[in-house]
Amino acid sequence: MTLPASGIRLDRATVRLGGRVVLDALSLNLSESRIGVLGRNGSGKTTLLRLIAGLLAPDQGAVSVDGFDPFADRKAALAALGILFQNPDHQILFPTVEEELAFGLIQQGHTPAAAGTRVAELLAAEGRAHWAKAPVTSLSQGQRHYLCLLAVLLMQPRTILLDEPLAGLDLPTQLRLARRFAALPQRLITITHDPSVLASTDRVLWLEAGRVVADGPPSQVLPAFTAEMERIGARDADADLAG
């Protein structure tokens, strides 16, 4: 199946995990600068992000990012897409800051020397030159999250996928990261269960059981989502999920 070579497109993309349908024949065209994906735990948000990133393939249907299949063409995916996971410890691979930052550049084909130069320049520009030789384990949770963001930015992707980017961080760190995200030129696709995070997006998708319940501007989707969550919360939420 051939999809148009512009933006991020899903054509009846279905994903099954453990015999269960997690994403159910999704067809989407994602071209806006700031897109939010909202839903309860288990709604399929993270699976959708992994599908777009090319970390898994659809069982049926097709996915296209700027005209290529991100699962089949990993080299193109490295250039086009960056992903920031909720837990930085699921993303960090190397013992020191400079090694972690250089890894993605080397994967893209830069020599270790060229990657080292780029890393040093970035850390200096960020006022963090003293981080270079620091063990990653010496950084706080917020600092490790920021390190992962810097690693993504070094690779200069056109789209960045954010998985609950502010969850578990203290308020000052949330504010700093939110300002940094807002200033980025890349397309951002943010998944979250917190509607307040998506107030300034261009478009919000509300997922429930692997399907899109609502799709539109935040002024329309967020109040509807909040009202439904309040309705569910007024009942026994565990019974709702079990049924």
Side-chain angles (χ1 to χ4, degrees):
M1 181 180 297
T2 301
L3 296 179
S6 176
I8 297 169
R9 297 174 184 265
L10 283 69
D11 185 353
R12 298 190 58 80
T14 297
V15 174
R16 297 181 181 88
L17 298 174
R20 182 173 68 92
V21 175
V22 180
L23 295 177
D24 190 0
L26 287 186
S27 292
L28 296 168
N29 177 11
L30 305 177
S31 58
E32 294 81 3
S33 177
R34 297 292 186 265
I35 299 168
V37 180
L38 185 64
R40 292 191 287 171
N41 291 340
S43 62
K45 303 186 306 296
T46 297
T47 301
L48 175 59
L49 221 64
R50 293 174 63 84
L51 183 67
I52 293 171
L55 300 179
L56 54 84
D59 293 286
Q60 293 173 261
V63 179
S64 171
V65 176
D66 297 337
F68 68 87
D69 179 338
F71 183 80
D73 192 342
R74 295 308 300 155
K75 184 176 180 180
L78 283 174
L81 297 161
I83 186 166
L84 193 65
F85 292 103
Q86 178 179 354
N87 186 342
D89 295 332
H90 293 166
Q91 192 158 350
I92 292 171
L93 299 173
F94 292 89
T96 68
V97 167
E98 62 181 2
E99 289 174 295
E100 182 64 29
L101 291 175
F103 174 69
L105 293 173
I106 293 171
Q107 290 291 104
Q108 286 185 321
H110 296 272
T111 67
T117 298
R118 290 270 303 276
V119 167
E121 290 172 349
L122 176 68
L123 288 175
E126 295 284 330
R128 289 171 171 81
H130 57 290
W131 278 20
K133 302 293 184 183
V136 171
T137 53
S138 70
L139 302 182
S140 70
Q141 174 83 359
Q143 289 171 330
R144 293 199 300 278
H145 211 71
Y146 198 77
L147 170 63
C148 291
L149 175 60
L150 293 181
V152 169
L153 294 179
L154 268 172
M155 298 173 71
Q156 299 181 321
R158 296 184 291 278
T159 296
I160 299 177
L161 310 172
L162 304 174
D163 182 0
E164 297 282 5
L166 305 180
L169 302 175
D170 61 30
L171 186 56
T173 303
Q174 287 184 24
L175 293 172
R176 284 195 294 270
L177 277 173
R179 285 197 302 270
R180 187 62 184 270
F181 292 147
L184 292 175
Q186 286 94 344
R187 174 189 294 121
L188 301 184
I189 300 178
T190 303
I191 70 164
T192 184
H193 64 273
D194 181 358
S196 66
V197 173
L198 305 179
S200 61
T201 55
D202 302 309
R203 176 183 178 186
V204 177
L205 306 173
W206 170 9
L207 284 189
E208 190 69 45
R211 296 182 177 181
V212 175
V213 175
D215 178 357
S219 60
Q220 294 178 8
V221 178
L222 299 185
F225 175 82
T226 300
E228 178 63 8
M229 296 306 103
E230 289 174 350
R231 185 189 70 81
I232 293 170
R235 305 181 306 173
D236 187 332
D238 290 336
D240 172 74
L241 292 173

